């Protein structure tokens, strides 16, 4: 029972030492978005993680600005990043994403901002009869578990990012294949219709020419016969053959 109470107290202590915010944000084209974290005192650890899940080439511009408007971190066309830095002065820190380079592509950005206090000066609650060495050992074990959980969490985020990017690539490829197939089918139907039209045009033109020649022959033969049948008394003689 004592051990359980000590473990619960240590877990509460570790949770007290850090605060984190994890968000997923849709960054529209030509958008500049900023998020804020407040460091209450100097010396706190600020962790910043982000990954572009989908959209465009899976890249984004980012920057981290301190309370004195001094740029701490910045990057262009980055797919993901994981940074930890120490707050040199208390105040509000700004974490910004810039998608002004994209004309129409929206991007889904998964990011996390955490403020961690590594101070160990706070006194841990302990039961009567518990030695300081035992409490210290439990504290180290809890901190080690916390670090391992942090590593597992980051690995899960990494694999999740890869899965989302691969799924986005598959969907994009599927959409392109479908559109290309539709265009190819329409092109084949158009070519078939054009071929039928050309063949019909040739046959109709040949038939019209043949009928015209036949009509001219009939008219010439009829005129010749009518001239031959005229009486000789009228002074008209048929043409010689």
């Amino acid at each position: 029972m004592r051990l359980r109470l000590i473990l619960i107290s240590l877990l509460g202590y570790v949770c007290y030492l850090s605060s984190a915010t994890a968000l997923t944000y849709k960054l529209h084209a030509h958008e500049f978005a900023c998020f804020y974290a407040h460091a209450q005192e100097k010396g706190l650890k600020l962790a910043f993680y982000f990954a572009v899940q989908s959209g465009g080439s899976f890249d984004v511009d980012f920057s981290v600005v301190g309370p004195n408007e001094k740029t701490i971190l910045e990057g262009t066309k980055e797919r993901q990043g994981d940074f930890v830095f120490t707050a040199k002065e208390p105040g509000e820190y700004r974490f910004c994403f810039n998608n002004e380079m994209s004309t129409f592509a929206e991007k889904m950005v998964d990011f996390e901002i955490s403020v961690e206090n590594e101070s160990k000066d706070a006194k841990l609650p302990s039961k009567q009869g518990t030695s300081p060495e035992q409490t210290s050992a439990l504290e180290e074990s809890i901190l080690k578990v916390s670090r391992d959980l942090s590593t597992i969490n980051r690995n899960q985020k990494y694999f999740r990012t890869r899965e989302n990017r691969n799924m986005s690539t598959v969907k994009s490829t599927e959409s392109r294949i479908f559109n290309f197939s539709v265009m190819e089918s329409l092109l084949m139907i158009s070519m078939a219709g054009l071929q039928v039209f050309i063949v019909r045009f040739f046959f109709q033109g040949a038939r019209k020419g043949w009928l015209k020649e036949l009509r001219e022959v009939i008219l010439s033969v009829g005129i010749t016969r009518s001239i031959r049948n005229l009486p000789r008394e009228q002074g008209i003689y048929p043409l010689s053959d």
Side-chain angles (χ1 to χ4, degrees):
M1 188 67 181
R2 291 181 178 179
L3 183 60
R4 182 180 300 177
L5 290 175
I6 293 174
L7 290 176
I8 293 175
S9 301
L10 287 174
L11 284 173
Y13 169 71
V14 172
C15 294
Y16 172 77
L17 292 180
S18 64
S19 61
T21 300
L23 295 173
T24 299
Y25 183 76
K26 179 183 285 187
L27 196 64
H28 297 279
H30 302 289
E31 183 179 0
F32 184 83
C34 292
F35 303 87
Y36 301 87
H38 186 77
Q40 297 181 354
E41 58 185 15
K42 183 172 67 173
L44 296 179
K45 293 290 185 180
L46 279 80
F48 176 49
Y49 166 83
F50 75 92
V52 182
Q53 303 292 337
S54 63
S57 301
F58 306 101
D59 56 358
V60 70
D61 299 343
F62 75 96
S63 62
V64 179
V65 182
N68 55 357
E69 297 299 325
K70 182 180 179 181
T71 302
I72 300 174
L73 297 170
E74 64 178 347
T76 58
K77 296 184 178 180
E78 297 287 343
R79 294 192 169 190
Q80 66 182 41
D82 193 358
F83 309 97
V84 178
F85 61 94
T86 303
K88 294 184 179 180
E89 58 184 53
E92 197 171 56
Y93 288 79
R94 187 167 69 244
F95 303 83
C96 299
F97 298 102
N98 186 1
N99 195 29
E100 294 179 351
M101 61 180 176
S102 297
T103 306
F104 57 89
E106 297 180 346
K107 298 179 180 178
M108 192 73 67
V109 182
D110 187 16
F111 67 96
E112 180 178 354
I113 301 171
S114 62
V115 181
E116 301 176 356
N117 187 0
E118 294 185 349
S119 174
K120 297 183 180 180
D121 296 335
K123 294 182 179 180
L124 296 177
S126 60
K127 270 294 194 181
Q128 186 177 3
T130 305
S131 63
E133 293 80 8
Q134 186 178 3
T135 304
S136 178
L138 288 174
E139 179 185 357
E140 293 296 331
S141 300
I142 293 297
L143 292 176
K144 183 177 181 300
V145 170
S146 178
R147 288 192 296 267
D148 293 341
L149 288 176
S150 237
T151 303
I152 293 173
N153 188 21
R154 291 184 180 180
N155 289 334
Q156 287 179 340
K157 289 179 180 178
Y158 170 73
F159 287 114
R160 179 187 174 189
T161 300
R162 287 191 58 184
E163 180 184 3
N164 291 335
R165 289 177 181 173
N166 293 336
M167 182 61 66
S168 179
T169 302
V170 169
K171 289 182 178 179
S172 176
T173 304
E174 182 181 4
S175 176
R176 292 180 182 180
I177 292 175
F178 176 77
N179 294 334
F180 180 77
S181 301
V182 171
M183 292 177 60
E184 186 178 7
S185 301
L186 293 176
L187 183 61
M188 292 177 63
I189 293 173
S190 302
M191 290 296 297
L194 182 62
Q195 290 178 358
V196 171
F197 174 77
I198 292 174
V199 171
R200 289 187 61 184
F201 177 77
F202 284 159
F203 276 96
Q204 287 178 358
R207 184 165 54 185
K208 287 181 180 179
W210 179 75
L211 290 175
K212 185 177 180 181
E213 292 179 0
L214 180 61
R215 189 180 299 112
E216 291 178 355
V217 171
I218 292 174
L219 289 175
S220 62
V221 172
I223 292 172
T224 304
R225 287 182 179 178
S226 61
I227 292 175
R228 286 180 178 179
N229 293 333
L230 289 175
R232 294 176 181 271
E233 297 86 35
Q234 297 179 2
I236 300 176
Y237 297 92
L239 297 174
S240 58
D241 296 333

